[in-house]
Structure formats: C-alpha cells, structure tokens
Amino acid sequence: MCLAIPVQVKEVLPGGMAKVTLDGVSKIVSTALVDDIEAGDYVVLHVGYALARIDRNEAERTLALIREAAIGDAP
C-alpha cells in the first residue's frame, strides 16, 4: 500500500524543487511532475515527489482525518 499526504509549499526553489512543510517539519521535494507551483499551494506528496496540486480545503480535511486516525490508534 502507498501513502501520499497533503503538504503546503513554503518556498519554490530552482531546479523543479520546493520546500514543503507538514506540522512544522520541512522537507525539500521535487515538483517536476506539477506545473506552476507557488508558495502557499498544497500538493499531494509521495516519496519526495509532488504528484498533484490539491485544494486547501480538501488538504485540511484529509490532514484532519489522518490526525484523527492516528489519535484513535494510540494505546
């Protein structure tokens, strides 16, 4: 099974790269598969590659569900 998660683009970098963040954790990822990325956009991230741009509301709903599932699994 594969997991792709929404992350927010904080900074567009040269060479088809961007700095993204999720819950305060930053990572440099490839944006080669998505055109016209801008700071503030949300993208779906899988193994270091932005796969698609995603609507802010959809991203926030998805992240809320992931957090809820994680809390529900806590011992």
Side-chain angles (χ1 to χ4, degrees):
M1 178 168 71
C2 298
L3 176 65
I5 56 172
V7 294
Q8 186 176 32
V9 176
K10 288 297 183 180
E11 182 181 356
V12 177
L13 304 171
M17 304 297 281
K19 180 188 271 189
V20 299
T21 187
L22 176 63
D23 288 341
V25 176
S26 295
K27 182 173 177 78
I28 305 297
V29 302
S30 173
T31 59
L33 302 174
V34 184
D35 293 330
D36 303 321
I37 294 292
E38 296 180 8
D41 287 346
Y42 280 83
V43 294
V44 178
L45 180 69
H46 177 65
V47 289
Y49 288 88
L51 301 178
R53 186 178 292 104
I54 188 172
D55 175 79
R56 173 189 276 279
N57 292 330
E58 186 175 348
E60 289 173 353
R61 283 194 310 268
T62 301
L63 291 170
L65 287 170
I66 291 170
R67 288 181 188 109
E68 184 179 315
I71 290 170
D73 288 344

